[in-house]
Amino acid sequence: MNDTLEARPSPDRGTAAYVTRDVNAGELLGTLRGIRLPTRTRYSIERDGDHYETGAPERYVNHACAPNARWSGRELRALRSLQAGEEVTFDYTETESAFASPFLCRCGSENCRVKIGEPSA
Ligand SMILES: [Zn+2]
């Protein structure tokens, strides 16, 4: 159960996760629960060399190159204060050492790296 984060359809990015209330920087947004997998998947999150298939809503937190949240151990925490209804994102390259499904990022950030999961030049 997570009262702070909810998954719902995004206008342009499939399903996304949003905060249900205003939160402060550093606040807990979600936790890594779920099944440990033998290999990574498109939705798994890597921690300490293992891959976890998370449930909703954490499963639907999208990537952004300038994210507003970060996984610290098994906890997803806000990097800055967020307003109710704001989409929550983290940088997938901070958790994954490789990618099951490399993708083209459309986060719109000034420093968007575009090719996520591709080796950098
Ligand atoms: Zn990006």
Side-chain angles (χ1 to χ4, degrees):
M1 195 57 208
N2 185 331
D3 294 331
T4 307
L5 203 60
E6 71 174 358
R8 55 184 159 84
S10 141
D12 57 351
R13 304 217 292 166
T15 303
Y18 301 87
V19 284
T20 57
R21 57 176 176 82
D22 294 352
V23 303
N24 298 314
E27 248 189 89
L28 181 67
L29 301 176
T31 52
L32 187 56
R33 297 161 286 126
I35 308 160
R36 196 169 81 185
L37 303 170
T39 56
R40 72 183 75 248
T41 69
R42 182 174 176 157
Y43 290 106
S44 65
I45 294 175
E46 183 176 336
R47 295 277 79 181
D48 304 321
D50 290 317
H51 307 286
Y52 294 88
E53 186 86 55
T54 58
E58 290 86 350
R59 176 189 184 93
Y60 295 107
V61 179
N62 285 320
H63 166 86
C65 298
N68 56 22
R70 170 177 288 157
W71 284 100
S72 169
R74 303 278 179 107
E75 297 175 340
L76 182 67
R77 290 192 175 271
L79 287 172
R80 58 170 172 79
S81 58
L82 302 171
Q83 293 191 323
E86 214 175 313
E87 184 181 351
V88 173
T89 55
F90 74 95
D91 184 342
Y92 289 8
T93 65
E94 287 190 350
T95 60
E96 305 309 302
S97 57
F99 282 78
S101 304
F103 62 94
L104 294 177
C105 182
R106 293 174 294 169
C107 72
S109 136
E110 224 172 80
N111 298 314
C112 181
R113 300 187 301 275
V114 184
K115 286 184 177 181
I116 305 300
E118 294 280 318
S120 52

